[in-house]
Amino acid sequence: GLPDGIVDTDTLAVANRSKILQVLQTSTNSAVSNTTTSFADTGLTGSITPSSSSNKVLVTISQAFQCERSAAAAGGSIQLLRGSTVLNNILANNHGLYIYAQGVGTTTLYGVYNLTYLDSPSTTSATTYKTQGVVYSATNSAKFVTQSASAKSFMTLMEVSG
């Protein structure tokens, strides 16, 4: 045997050493407004083609938003999708962003939604990610605006070896 305090490296398990294989970033500063209670595209989208179906995609989002409503509280939400599959939606008990501000006059809330999400798309085909936004009530001139006042939003996609 070995003396106390000495570790034989041949008996140690080798840790999984994932690597970042590719990084793609997209951005937009084009304002997109939604005044309905149905999720709609925000203009923030990106696409990546994984080199192996066992690899993962790390999605990071930094998205500027504004939520506004006259004479009442304002609220809204952002969700992340891969293609048409919703990955991240707090209204479906699946984490995500939901904001709400109480008010009696015109209520306006500005913020930035930051998200890091590790996805397993299980494909080697081009894979598109996007965000969608919604207001919680379509009355009283409610609106949910992403990239308001030309604020820049970013999406970064990183392929991580499986």
Side-chain angles (χ1 to χ4, degrees), residues 8-18:
D8 182 3
T9 57
D10 292 336
T11 62
L12 291 177
V14 176
N16 179 8
R17 294 190 175 111
S18 296

Side-chain angles (χ1 to χ4, degrees), residues 67-141:
C67 191
E68 184 173 295
R69 190 169 176 219
S70 298
S77 183
I78 294 176
Q79 67 181 8
L80 171 67
L81 296 89
R82 178 195 344 107
S84 60
T85 301
V86 175
L87 301 176
N88 183 267
N89 177 331
I90 197 165
L91 301 176
N93 296 319
N94 190 15
H95 305 291
L97 170 76
Y98 181 79
I99 52 129
Y100 178 85
Q102 186 65 45
V104 291
T106 297
T107 304
T108 304
L109 176 66
Y110 295 90
V112 176
Y113 176 48
N114 292 301
L115 171 71
T116 301
Y117 186 91
L118 185 61
D119 186 34
S120 300
S122 302
T123 186
T124 56
S125 298
T127 304
T128 300
Y129 295 87
K130 66 180 179 179
T131 59
Q132 293 182 329
V134 68
V135 293
Y136 88 93
S137 174
T139 63
N140 295 17
S141 304

